[in-house]
Amino acid sequence: MVYSREVRFDTGCPSIADIIDRVRQRTGIHPIYLSDKWLLVNPLDQNDLFSLYPIGEDCIVLTNEGPTTDLLMTTLYVLLEMGGYYTDWAG
């Protein structure tokens, strides 16, 4: 099953680089962002990956298949810390 989560921002989206830097600080994991595929990958577990991309200037979308991973949950929490909000975890 595919899950999609939209995180919205009132003051504009943070950059992908800022998001990744915050995830790195919080987890110690140095995720790899494949911008041509919009994928965030955990280098310690190649199966731990999900899509991360902006839509417009006020929304970032996270899409994954299968179970929710720690990297995905941490990224969602980071987006909330950065001023984002959402209405539905499961999308």
Side-chain angles (χ1 to χ4, degrees):
M1 178 175 249
V2 175
Y3 298 95
S4 181
R5 297 161 179 91
E6 291 185 3
V7 179
R8 299 201 171 270
F9 294 83
D10 288 333
T11 58
C13 295
S15 71
I16 298 295
D18 287 343
I19 296 166
I20 293 168
D21 188 49
R22 282 275 206 53
V23 169
R24 184 177 298 130
Q25 289 173 12
R26 195 173 240 275
T27 64
I29 296 171
H30 293 268
I32 300 166
Y33 187 66
L34 305 173
S35 59
D36 60 329
K37 297 178 183 176
W38 293 347
L39 289 176
L40 190 63
V41 180
N42 179 347
L44 304 175
D45 180 357
Q46 296 296 310
N47 294 314
D48 185 3
L49 59 96
F50 56 91
S51 294
L52 176 72
Y53 55 93
I55 294 182
E57 298 199 12
D58 67 345
C59 183
I60 292 182
V61 177
L62 295 91
T63 305
N64 70 299
E65 292 184 38
T68 302
T69 65
D70 289 339
L71 182 61
L72 175 63
M73 289 301 293
T74 300
T75 304
L76 284 167
Y77 285 121
V78 162
L79 291 171
L80 296 177
E81 289 174 347
M82 296 176 95
Y85 59 92
Y86 59 90
T87 58
D88 184 4
W89 276 97

